[in-house]
Amino acid sequence: MAYPELDWRVFLRPNSNSRYSLSTTTANLSTRLSISIQSVPRVREVCKFQYIGRLNVYLSCPEKLEMILLQNGITTEQLTLLDEQPELSSTRPFLPLEWFDDFEYEPMSTERWLSIDNLQAFALVRKDNGSDSGWGWISVVVVDYISEHFLWTVMNNGDSWNVPRWRLYFVYENPFNFCERLNTALQQRSLRENHLKYSYLLQSMNVGDYFDLSDSVKSRLAKRTNAEVIETFQALYCKFHTGLSLNKCLMEYPKLNINPVHIMTVDKITSSSIDDCRKLYSYRDVFALNKRICLLSHPAVYDALKMVNEECEVLQQKSLYSLNMKEPITLTDFETENKAQLKITLRYLQNNWIEQTTMQAHTNLLLAGRGWFDVSVDDWTIYQFMKLFRLVEQIKQRMQTALRDLVLTSTDRFYHCICDSSRLCLLVEENFRWTENLIESPFESGEQPVFYLLLQMGDEAPFYSTEPDEFEATMKSLFNEAIIRSHDVHLIDPTLFGSLIFATDLYLSSVGLQDPVIEKRRNHIILCCQKTIIPLKAYAHRYIEFKELFFTNITEYVENIKLTKTSLQVKEEISFQIRMRESLEKTLPLSIVIGPFWVNVRPLREALIQMRKDLTAAILQMLTKRLRDKTSDIVADYTEIIDRMCDKPVSIEHICEIREFMESIPDLLQALEERMKTVVFEYEILDYFRCALPDADFYQKWHALAFPQSILKQMDSVYEVQDSEVDKYRKQQVSDEAGFGSQVEEINVYVSKFTTVYDVSKVAEVSVEVKKLWKNIKELLQYGETLNKRQELFEMPSIDLSSLLELKENFVAYKNLWSYAAEYINAEESWRENPLSSVEGETVNRTLQQYQHSFEGLFDCFEDQPQIQDVVQMFLTRVESFIPNLTIIDLLQHPLLEPIHWAQFAKVAGIKVKVSLATNLIFFLEYNISDHLDALRSIIVEAEQQKEETERIRAEEEEIMRQREQYERNRMQRRLNRPEI
């Protein structure tokens, strides 16, 4: 083969101390390149890059390299076929070429290539020139080598690429060796791809029982070995014969260096037997056989399986659980979100996934038309012998695999979500007690906690917002529900074939609850839930010590301190509350992580700290109020002293009283100052705790301290005012004494008039005048006593009150006579005018005896006045005349009198109107009721007899009823005791 002459550049080094340089020469590619050292001037050494002694040469342009590659059967398309992913049924290569390039074994190492300054090369890269883009060789400069990825970094006009070695040709590299290396790599890739296609086809073919052992062979093997060996041999036998049917692929075995014995591990099958098998099958017969057996006999099947696989891969990206929480959530939210996610995924599985898969399979199989893959088949017998039956079974297996992968992947994520953060709790025993401090958790694994809990204080003990025992049941329910619901996905058969009838309960098979992997994960989840709640409860139990503080009644607490603590003890109590508040701030956390739980302690912590603050504030407030009250009492005492001292006198007695009080003021001030000293000491407690007093309290405190001095200054001015008032009241006393004498004379004259009053018809008017006069006498006597006291204060002689006292004693009898007379007349009128039901006989009797005794006692008082005695006798006679009416009242108020008795009595007495207890006493007196008392008594006796007879009859009826009930009970008892009942 003739090659054109090309310009080559020789890469030389003149001496051992100098760098390599280039020299130009011309050679013909039809012969070996041979350049003598003498042809290059001033060259002492020629660098030999290969062991055969060839010199590396340099191409002048990338077009010459493309020409050499083309002459060696290498096109640019062969090197760039991996630009796009090939289809499943395509013949394009699918393995990267760099896997088969042996550039690592070239004579010159990477370090030596990189040691060359401005190393030039040709690189196969994608070129983009406006609307025209494609692959091509361009001149580049080598910059660097990425050893991790076996890529070279090259640059051209500011653009850079990372290219593998087989797409990079150095300018001084031997093009023949480069072409030979690429051809070897392409051949090796083709052989390996053929081998992979063959292996995939061999594993993917489902020939059913086409290559099954005969019954005679099975019977002979059954006698010599067990069922497991027979099953293994049958599988190998089927696999071997399937390989023999692929005769075309077997022809490639020598090139692939693959021994068919690796496929069939039976000693009797050797390479010679395979050669014999090749002679038995012709390519056309084998191809026809494969076409009848293999499912992949039509491109539509490839497309259908590809689309089903894509839908299954989409399914594998989904999840049955929602576990991507950015922060911990409550158990209720966790359950709600996961049930919602399960519902969404199941809706996709039961609707979209089945519909999409069915549509993709149906659409592609329609292209196959009538034949092995006719989806319009309407006969079950034919359908079961078609390739379509096995294809649908394979699709079902692929969908079940995807569904199983979905369940396993989802449960694995759920398992790790719960268990990874719980691993530190697995060694906890049932009797675990939280002995650590409340801030640091020995169960914080570093994983993101899943659940949110709020620690709260209950009436009995601390508790969480969610009961810890609920987690186990909820996790088990969520875990099992997802697995159980994954079995509710229908097969695609009923929707794929409209002409065949299928059962309504055909579902894809998923992972079962008793699957070993599922059982292991479920049991571990349950164990983690059981173990994690132990330290969770133990941590909450530690907060029992704060229960008393949490439920402290501030009012009762402060009241107890107020009643039992001294001022010094109150100060100590305030200091104690402050220390305990600071201790809570240091020992209680805002939150803590225990396994998968993030416990929020902030509200409880703040509540306890706030309680300490409130107790401190309440004590200070109580102390402030107590000091306010004490100071207010002291100020009130000071104010009372001033008020009493500065009170305007209204009499000489008042002045004397004020002066007597002013003499005790120094002692009172000293006592109040002592009280104020103790209050000032308590004020210092507030100052110690920097408690600011209200403005009013502050003013009151200093006002109380300044009060004694102001009171002492005011006493002198009070004495001066009182001296002038004494003179004024002395003059008033003289005029009052003269007026008192004239009043005594007037009342004597007025009293003498009542000795001549005998008119009984004017009892009411006389009694009113007597009461007024008696009141005036007592007031005048009291006024005289007051004047005598003032006489003593003014050091004047006392007034004689003996005549006034004698007048009072003589007038008592007159007053009693007319008062008793008026009162008795009113009482008697009320007895006569009111209904009988409102008159009480005992009260009337007692009142009559009282007035009778009173009037009898007045006879001795009027021995010298017979006319007045006649008046007394007249009232006494009136009282005695009413006494017989008591008998009438008692008879008429008898409790046995009923309307029929009243009617009988009215008839006897000649009363023609209806009478009863509502009738007035005066009505009966007008009819001379006293003349018919015997008839009334007989009616009462008759009523009593009727009552006795009625009670006797009622008693007899009750006795008869009792005996009848007793008889019935005895009769029932006898029936119950009969053995035949």
Side-chain angles (χ1 to χ4, degrees):
M1 182 177 180
Y3 296 92
E5 290 189 357
L6 301 173
D7 293 333
W8 298 77
R9 291 186 180 181
V10 183
F11 190 57
L12 304 173
R13 186 168 62 176
N15 52 62
S16 60
N17 297 326
S18 62
R19 285 184 169 272
Y20 289 99
S21 60
L22 297 175
S23 178
T24 304
T25 184
T26 303
N28 194 304
L29 293 181
S30 61
T31 61
R32 287 185 175 275
L33 180 63
S34 178
I35 303 174
S36 71
I37 298 177
Q38 289 78 10
S39 64
V40 181
R42 297 182 303 277
V43 174
R44 298 182 181 180
E45 180 181 355
V46 177
C47 180
K48 298 178 181 180
F49 291 96
Q50 298 185 5
Y51 296 109
I52 61 175
R54 292 182 180 178
L55 297 178
N56 291 330
V57 295
Y58 177 82
L59 293 178
S60 60
C61 61
E63 289 78 7
K64 294 182 179 181
L65 177 61
E66 292 183 14
M67 185 186 304
I68 296 174
L69 291 174
L70 184 61
Q71 290 172 353
N72 283 270
I74 303 174
T75 63
T76 303
E77 288 75 11
Q78 290 178 300
L79 303 178
T80 60
L81 288 177
L82 287 179
D83 182 29
E84 296 180 358
Q85 185 69 27
E87 298 291 336
L88 182 63
S89 59
S90 174
T91 58
R92 296 173 60 189
F94 55 85
L95 295 178
L97 190 61
E98 54 263 29
W99 291 3
F100 307 95
D101 186 15
D102 60 349
F103 76 93
E104 293 185 353
Y105 301 101
E106 61 185 3
M108 189 166 178
S109 64
T110 302
E111 291 76 9
R112 295 186 65 185
W113 285 121
L114 294 175
S115 66
I116 302 174
D117 292 336
N118 195 21
L119 178 60
Q120 298 183 5
F122 301 148
L124 180 61
V125 297
R126 184 188 293 275
K127 296 183 295 182
D128 189 0
N129 299 323
S131 62
D132 183 19
S133 62
W135 289 87
W137 293 89
I138 62 173
S139 299
V140 295
V141 177
V142 179
V143 179
D144 194 7
Y145 175 68
I146 305 174
S147 59
E148 295 82 0
H149 305 289
F150 304 102
L151 296 176
W152 296 75
T153 303
V154 298
M155 295 186 63
N156 177 274
N157 296 329
D159 299 329
S160 63
W161 298 269
N162 293 326
V163 297
R165 181 66 178 84
W166 58 271
R167 282 167 47 190
L168 182 65
Y169 171 78
F170 297 113
V171 294
Y172 39 80
E173 185 178 2
N174 191 331
F176 293 115
N177 294 343
F178 185 73
C179 294
E180 182 180 355
R181 197 176 79 233
L182 288 183
N183 273 324
T184 302
L186 291 171
Q187 293 175 4
Q188 290 295 324
R189 181 175 69 177
S190 178
L191 291 176
R192 299 309 172 199
E193 287 179 346
N194 288 338
H195 172 59
L196 291 175
K197 290 179 180 179
Y198 167 74
S199 300
Y200 176 75
L201 185 61
L202 187 63
Q203 295 174 5
S204 301
M205 287 185 62
N206 184 5
V207 297
D209 55 355
Y210 190 84
F211 292 124
D212 198 2
L213 294 174
S214 62
D215 295 338
S216 59
V217 174
K218 288 183 180 179
S219 61
R220 289 198 301 273
L221 289 175
K223 296 178 182 179
R224 299 180 182 181
T225 182
N226 55 27
E228 184 178 356
V229 175
I230 295 174
E231 184 179 358
T232 304
F233 178 78
Q234 185 174 357
L236 294 174
Y237 181 85
C238 180
K239 185 175 182 181
F240 174 72
H241 281 277
T242 304
L244 290 180
S245 66
L246 300 174
N247 191 29
K248 183 178 179 181
C249 294
L250 286 174
M251 298 301 294
E252 300 293 339
Y253 274 156
K255 297 180 181 180
L256 297 174
N257 295 323
I258 297 176
N259 192 344
V261 179
H262 295 167
I263 302 176
M264 181 62 182
T265 59
V266 181
D267 295 339
K268 294 183 179 181
I269 300 178
T270 61
S271 299
S272 59
S273 62
I274 295 178
D275 294 335
D276 296 336
C277 291
R278 292 174 186 163
K279 299 175 183 179
L280 296 177
Y281 297 96
S282 65
Y283 176 76
R284 181 173 298 175
D285 295 337
V286 172
F287 180 77
L289 177 63
N290 290 337
K291 189 173 182 181
R292 288 195 302 273
I293 299 175
C294 182
L295 292 177
L296 307 177
S297 59
H298 195 281
V301 179
Y302 288 93
D303 295 337
L305 291 176
K306 174 186 174 183
M307 301 306 294
V308 169
N309 183 67
E310 290 179 356
E311 293 295 332
C312 292
E313 289 179 351
V314 171
L315 175 64
Q316 291 174 350
Q317 302 300 321
K318 298 186 177 297
S319 177
L320 297 173
Y321 301 102
S322 176
L323 303 174
N324 298 323
M325 290 81 66
K326 295 183 180 179
E327 58 184 15
I329 61 176
T330 62
L331 178 62
T332 302
D333 294 341
F334 182 84
E335 184 178 11
T336 302
E337 289 185 10
N338 280 277
K339 285 186 176 180
Q341 177 64 28
L342 177 61
K343 186 176 181 180
I344 293 172
T345 306
L346 286 175
R347 189 185 300 117
Y348 173 80
L349 286 171
Q350 297 169 352
N351 298 306
N352 295 15
W353 187 49
I354 297 298
E355 292 174 1
Q356 288 291 111
T357 305
T358 304
M359 183 185 68
Q360 297 292 353
H362 190 272
T363 303
N364 287 283
L365 292 177
L366 283 177
L367 301 177
R370 300 180 62 83
W372 289 107
F373 303 101
D374 185 9
V375 293
S376 62
V377 60
D378 57 358
D379 191 295
W380 263 100
T381 306
I382 296 175
Y383 169 65
Q384 290 176 341
F385 281 97
M386 294 173 63
K387 289 183 182 181
L388 183 61
F389 179 79
R390 288 188 288 139
L391 177 62
V392 173
E393 286 294 319
Q394 187 167 351
I395 292 175
K396 182 184 74 172
Q397 296 297 330
R398 179 65 184 95
M399 294 177 70
Q400 290 184 158
T401 301
L403 184 59
R404 178 182 176 86
D405 291 343
L406 171 66
V407 175
L408 291 176
T409 304
S410 299
T411 54
D412 182 67
R413 291 182 59 207
F414 188 84
Y415 165 81
H416 285 288
C417 177
I418 303 301
C419 299
D420 287 354
S421 56
S422 306
R423 61 178 183 271
L424 297 179
C425 304
L426 297 179
L427 299 179
V428 176
E429 300 296 336
E430 290 292 336
N431 58 352
F432 173 78
R433 295 293 180 269
W434 192 284
T435 56
E436 305 291 334
N437 59 64
L438 296 174
I439 296 179
E440 298 176 356
S441 173
F443 305 103
E444 185 173 359
S445 62
E447 301 288 340
Q448 171 70 24
V450 183
F451 302 109
Y452 169 87
L453 289 177
L454 176 63
L455 183 60
Q456 298 171 292
M457 184 66 70
D459 296 336
E460 300 297 331
F463 67 97
Y464 293 103
S465 55
T466 302
E467 179 61 32
D469 293 331
E470 296 179 5
F471 284 90
E472 178 184 346
T474 303
M475 295 302 104
K476 184 178 179 181
S477 174
L478 291 175
F479 188 84
N480 290 342
E481 185 180 3
I483 298 172
I484 294 172
R485 297 291 299 278
S486 66
H487 291 267
D488 296 339
V489 183
H490 285 273
L491 295 177
I492 67 169
D493 303 38
T495 54
L496 184 62
F497 303 106
S499 301
L500 297 176
I501 299 175
F502 295 87
T504 58
D505 56 349
L506 298 179
Y507 299 96
L508 292 175
S509 176
S510 180
V511 184
L513 289 175
Q514 296 182 353
D515 187 276
V517 176
I518 297 300
E519 281 193 342
K520 180 180 178 181
R521 291 176 181 174
R522 180 173 56 249
N523 293 337
H524 196 71
I525 290 173
I526 294 175
L527 177 64
C528 290
C529 292
Q530 293 173 348
K531 290 294 185 179
T532 51
I533 65 175
I534 295 175
L536 197 65
K537 292 181 178 179
Y539 184 79
H541 184 74
R542 280 288 302 274
Y543 282 82
I544 290 182
E545 60 184 274
F546 304 109
K547 176 185 173 183
E548 182 179 357
L549 170 63
F550 187 86
F551 290 105
T552 300
N553 189 311
I554 298 178
T555 304
E556 295 179 357
Y557 172 80
V558 173
E559 192 65 26
N560 182 46
I561 290 179
K562 181 179 180 181
L563 297 175
T564 60
K565 302 285 185 181
T566 62
S567 299
L568 187 59
Q569 290 174 335
V570 170
K571 180 179 180 181
E572 294 176 355
E573 186 68 22
I574 296 174
S575 301
F576 170 76
Q577 294 297 337
I578 294 175
R579 290 196 306 271
M580 296 306 296
R581 175 179 59 79
E582 294 174 351
S583 175
L584 289 175
E585 292 174 349
K586 296 178 181 178
T587 57
L588 295 185
L590 297 174
S591 62
I592 191 170
V593 176
I594 303 176
F597 303 103
W598 186 82
V599 182
N600 185 8
V601 195
R602 179 191 291 269
L604 180 57
R605 176 181 183 270
E606 292 180 351
L608 294 174
I609 293 175
Q610 187 62 40
M611 178 59 73
R612 291 294 183 188
K613 291 181 179 179
D614 292 344
L615 290 176
T616 305
I619 298 174
L620 290 173
Q621 185 178 3
M622 179 273 295
L623 185 59
T624 303
K625 185 177 182 303
R626 185 165 72 179
L627 292 177
R628 182 188 305 122
D629 295 340
K630 289 183 178 181
T631 308
S632 179
D633 292 342
I634 294 174
V635 171
D637 291 342
Y638 281 130
T639 305
E640 183 180 359
I641 292 174
I642 293 179
D643 291 342
R644 289 186 63 182
M645 181 179 66
C646 299
D647 192 12
K648 182 175 180 61
V650 294
S651 63
I652 186 61
E653 296 92 344
H654 194 189
I655 293 176
C656 295
E657 181 183 352
I658 292 175
R659 288 186 174 181
E660 183 180 358
F661 171 73
M662 291 175 64
E663 293 176 356
S664 63
I665 286 179
D667 296 334
L668 294 175
L669 293 180
Q670 184 177 1
L672 291 174
E673 287 177 349
E674 293 296 330
R675 286 173 56 190
M676 193 61 195
K677 289 181 181 179
T678 60
V679 175
V680 170
F681 172 74
E682 295 181 0
Y683 273 113
E684 293 176 356
I685 297 177
L686 297 178
D687 296 338
Y688 177 81
F689 294 107
R690 299 178 180 178
C691 178
L693 286 172
D695 293 342
D697 292 355
F698 181 81
Y699 172 78
Q700 181 178 258
K701 170 187 173 182
W702 291 105
H703 189 57
L705 292 173
F707 247 125
Q709 190 66 26
S710 61
I711 291 175
L712 293 176
K713 291 181 178 179
Q714 199 168 2
M715 287 178 65
D716 297 336
S717 60
V718 171
Y719 276 118
E720 295 177 358
V721 173
Q722 288 180 351
D723 290 339
S724 61
E725 292 292 329
V726 169
D727 295 337
K728 183 180 69 173
Y729 288 124
R730 182 178 288 109
K731 297 177 182 179
Q732 183 67 32
Q733 177 66 16
V734 174
S735 62
D736 290 342
E737 182 180 358
F740 177 74
S742 62
Q743 290 179 7
V744 172
E745 292 178 357
E746 291 177 359
I747 204 166
N748 278 325
V749 174
Y750 192 68
V751 168
S752 62
K753 294 181 181 180
F754 284 93
T755 58
T756 61
V757 176
Y758 312 114
D759 191 357
V760 181
S761 62
K762 298 181 179 179
V763 173
E765 293 83 351
V766 174
S767 65
V768 172
E769 293 295 330
V770 167
K771 290 179 180 179
K772 290 181 180 180
L773 182 59
W774 178 255
K775 181 180 178 182
N776 292 334
I777 292 172
K778 289 196 298 182
E779 290 178 354
L780 188 59
L781 183 60
Q782 184 178 1
Y783 181 57
E785 293 175 353
T786 302
L787 291 177
N788 279 335
K789 290 180 181 179
R790 291 178 181 175
Q791 292 289 100
E792 293 178 2
L793 295 177
F794 289 117
E795 297 179 356
M796 297 171 64
S798 60
I799 302 173
D800 186 13
L801 301 178
S802 57
S803 60
L804 188 60
L805 291 173
E806 185 180 357
L807 179 64
K808 178 181 178 183
E809 291 177 359
N810 294 333
F811 191 71
V812 170
Y814 291 98
K815 177 184 75 69
N816 292 339
L817 171 61
W818 297 109
S819 297
Y820 291 158
E823 292 172 2
Y824 175 76
I825 290 172
N826 293 333
E828 183 179 340
E829 289 179 355
S830 66
W831 297 334
R832 290 175 180 272
E833 300 295 335
N834 291 333
L836 285 173
S837 59
S838 63
V839 178
E840 296 182 3
E842 295 181 359
T843 304
V844 173
N845 186 22
R846 187 169 54 252
T847 305
L848 289 173
Q849 292 178 3
Q850 179 182 353
Y851 281 111
Q852 185 180 10
H853 179 72
S854 299
F855 284 123
E856 288 176 353
L858 291 176
F859 274 103
D860 298 335
C861 297
F862 299 104
E863 293 178 356
D864 299 335
Q865 296 175 305
Q867 294 177 341
I868 299 297
Q869 283 185 342
D870 293 339
V871 174
V872 174
Q873 183 62 41
M874 189 272 296
F875 284 109
L876 181 60
T877 303
R878 186 170 179 175
V879 172
E880 292 174 351
S881 63
F882 191 83
I883 291 176
N885 293 332
L886 291 175
T887 303
I888 299 174
I889 294 173
D890 291 339
L891 292 174
L892 293 175
Q893 289 181 344
H894 197 281
L896 295 180
L897 292 178
E898 295 182 356
I900 189 172
H901 302 134
W902 286 104
Q904 293 176 1
F905 176 70
K907 184 177 181 181
V908 172
I911 302 174
K912 297 182 180 181
V913 296
K914 185 178 180 181
V915 293
S916 64
L917 286 176
T919 307
N920 299 336
L921 177 61
I922 192 173
F923 179 82
F924 292 101
L925 295 178
E926 289 176 355
Y927 278 90
N928 296 322
I929 195 66
S930 59
D931 297 337
H932 306 284
L933 293 182
D934 293 336
L936 180 59
R937 289 189 183 95
S938 62
I939 292 173
I940 293 174
V941 170
E942 183 181 356
E944 290 175 350
Q945 292 175 355
Q946 290 177 356
K947 179 180 179 183
E948 291 176 358
E949 182 66 20
T950 302
E951 291 178 352
R952 184 184 63 78
I953 294 173
R954 185 182 296 109
E956 291 178 355
E957 291 176 351
E958 291 177 355
E959 179 64 22
I960 293 172
M961 184 63 67
R962 186 187 65 78
Q963 292 178 358
R964 183 178 298 174
E965 292 177 355
Q966 182 65 32
Y967 171 76
E968 293 294 334
R969 285 196 296 268
N970 294 337
R971 182 170 176 271
M972 182 61 65
Q973 187 65 34
R974 287 195 301 271
R975 286 177 57 83
L976 294 175
N977 293 335
R978 291 173 59 184
E980 66 273 12
I981 297 179

